[in-house]
Amino acid sequence: MRAKIFGTPEMPRLSVFKSNKHISVQIIDDVSSQTLVASHSKAVKGKTLLEKSVFVGKDVAEKAKAKKITKVVFDRGGFRYTGAVKALADGAREGGLKF
């Protein structure tokens, strides 16, 4: 997946990492190799992974709006687009990001 997806300053890459308990997401500009925005589910206590994913998606969308980022390329990191990854994407879309 990583070889096909590339983020630019105009349309950075939204990269997802998921473990059994947590999910994290970064918005990355691959041209300058910089992480522009990041969010992690460790800030959310006592919820299921799906609820954490929606929160992280909305959180990263709010942070991206503050940096005037509205369009991103979605990089699911090899994870299937179901469950927590889909919930994160839906939360980011609700927050205002466009894929």
Side-chain angles (χ1 to χ4, degrees):
M1 294 300 298
R2 178 72 174 84
K4 297 178 185 177
I5 298 172
F6 192 79
T8 63
E10 297 82 30
M11 200 164 178
R13 177 172 54 100
L14 185 127
S15 177
V16 177
F17 176 77
K18 180 180 77 92
S19 69
N20 289 337
K21 293 183 181 179
H22 296 287
I23 192 161
S24 64
V25 63
Q26 298 178 346
I27 296 181
I28 304 168
D29 175 10
D30 289 319
V31 174
S32 62
S33 300
Q34 287 186 327
T35 298
L36 306 173
V37 178
S39 184
H40 196 281
S41 66
K42 286 185 180 178
V44 184
K45 301 287 182 189
K47 295 189 176 188
T48 66
L49 186 58
L50 289 176
E51 293 169 341
K52 290 178 184 179
S53 299
V54 172
F55 174 80
V56 170
K58 289 180 181 179
D59 184 47
V60 78
E62 289 174 14
K63 290 178 180 180
K65 274 187 176 180
K67 293 206 172 193
K68 298 181 182 172
I69 300 169
T70 57
K71 289 185 176 183
V72 294
V73 178
F74 190 69
D75 177 12
R76 56 186 173 86
F79 300 104
R80 289 186 177 190
Y81 188 78
T82 60
V85 176
K86 184 178 185 306
L88 182 129
D90 292 342
R93 284 188 186 108
E94 285 178 27
L97 283 180
K98 295 179 183 174
F99 298 9

